[in-house]
Amino acid sequence: MAIPALKAQRRTTVGTKQNRILRAQGQLPGVLYGKGKENINLVFDIHAVEKLMHDAEHVVELELDGAKAHALLRAAQHNHLGDSIEHIDLTRVDLSEEVRVNLPLRWVGTPKGANQGGVLEVVRATIQLSCAANNIPKFIETDISHVELNHRFLYKDIKLPVGAKLVPRAELLVAICRV
């Protein structure tokens, strides 16, 4: 798995007005924190970050001040319409370190219950896993072709990748096929 590079520069100006100016120039404000080190205000090329988000990348090789370090894209704040990124948070990470991530669930197949007039009702569209930072999948593919009418699909029914551990309770409802 190739880890994408992300170039960053230190940001000396802070505040709403300065961040608006940066975004108007095609740059994105962000912050790097964690590992007991000082927080660093950063600025990124907005298109590079949008590509990483589109490609569902979690870990990046951050290039800052001529040095390279790994970071986990922890959070992205969007504008009030949800159509553009306003700010990102990254945390320092070692590739072998266990991290918690929320991943989307992708449903594969048609439930058996759909042939009997049922509809799959998705209660939770994401799953929280704990896994090594260098082994984070982009999504969790889940086969639902065996789900019958009025069958409850729980977190414990999801096949996890090797080395990943489920964080929420295994008995939580994820989806149900019902009329």
Side-chain angles (χ1 to χ4, degrees), residues 17-85:
K17 183 177 179 182
Q18 296 301 321
N19 287 345
R20 283 186 185 143
I21 292 169
L22 286 173
R23 286 190 287 273
Q25 296 171 346
Q27 297 180 317
L28 181 68
V31 65
L32 175 67
Y33 57 89
K35 296 281 186 202
K37 296 181 181 176
E38 183 179 333
N39 295 351
I40 303 173
N41 291 320
L42 301 172
V43 64
F44 306 92
D45 175 64
I46 195 161
H47 300 296
V49 174
E50 286 173 343
K51 181 176 179 352
L52 290 172
M53 302 285 285
H54 179 267
D55 294 344
E57 297 293 348
H58 297 280
V59 177
V60 297
E61 185 176 71
L62 195 62
E63 297 176 15
L64 176 65
D65 298 336
K68 294 181 180 183
H70 292 101
L72 178 67
L73 291 169
R74 185 54 78 187
Q77 292 82 41
H78 291 79
N79 69 354
H80 67 285
L81 298 174
D83 60 355
S84 64
I85 304 169

Side-chain angles (χ1 to χ4, degrees), residues 98 129-132 135-137 140 159-165:
E98 288 275 319
L129 298 179
S130 175
C131 60
N135 199 26
I136 301 173
I140 301 296
K159 184 178 180 208
L160 300 177
V162 175
K165 292 177 248 161

Side-chain angles (χ1 to χ4, degrees), residues 6 30 43 91 108 112 118:
L6 180 63
V43 64
T91 184
V108 177
K112 284 183 183 177

Side-chain angles (χ1 to χ4, degrees), residues 7-179:
K7 292 182 181 179
Q9 296 174 332
R10 289 184 185 267
R11 178 169 44 112
T12 56
T13 59
V14 293
T16 304
K17 183 177 179 182
Q18 296 301 321
N19 287 345
R20 283 186 185 143
I21 292 169
L22 286 173
R23 286 190 287 273
Q25 296 171 346
Q27 297 180 317
L28 181 68
V31 65
L32 175 67
Y33 57 89
K35 296 281 186 202
K37 296 181 181 176
E38 183 179 333
N39 295 351
I40 303 173
N41 291 320
L42 301 172
V43 64
F44 306 92
D45 175 64
I46 195 161
H47 300 296
V49 174
E50 286 173 343
K51 181 176 179 352
L52 290 172
M53 302 285 285
H54 179 267
D55 294 344
E57 297 293 348
H58 297 280
V59 177
V60 297
E61 185 176 71
L62 195 62
E63 297 176 15
L64 176 65
D65 298 336
K68 294 181 180 183
H70 292 101
L72 178 67
L73 291 169
R74 185 54 78 187
Q77 292 82 41
H78 291 79
N79 69 354
H80 67 285
L81 298 174
D83 60 355
S84 64
I85 304 169
E86 299 273 309
H87 187 275
I88 61 169
D89 293 355
L90 296 103
T91 184
R92 295 173 182 94
V93 67
D94 292 325
L95 292 181
S96 60
E97 171 182 353
E98 288 275 319
V99 295
R100 285 186 177 191
V101 290
N102 284 319
L103 301 174
L105 293 170
R106 286 210 182 153
W107 308 105
V108 177
T110 303
K112 284 183 183 177
N115 296 333
Q116 302 164 345
V119 175
L120 184 71
E121 181 182 332
V122 176
V123 179
R124 292 178 177 84
T126 62
I127 186 169
Q128 188 177 34
L129 298 179
S130 175
C131 60
N134 64 351
N135 199 26
I136 301 173
K138 294 183 185 221
F139 56 86
I140 301 296
E141 197 168 82
T142 306
D143 182 18
I144 55 166
S145 58
H146 68 282
V147 178
E148 298 191 23
L149 195 61
N150 295 322
H151 176 78
R152 298 168 47 97
F153 193 80
L154 308 175
Y155 274 128
K156 70 179 181 179
D157 300 326
I158 297 173
K159 184 178 180 208
L160 300 177
V162 175
K165 292 177 248 161
L166 183 67
V167 173
R169 293 191 326 256
E171 298 296 325
L172 287 176
L173 178 67
V174 178
I176 187 168
C177 186
R178 61 178 160 194
V179 179

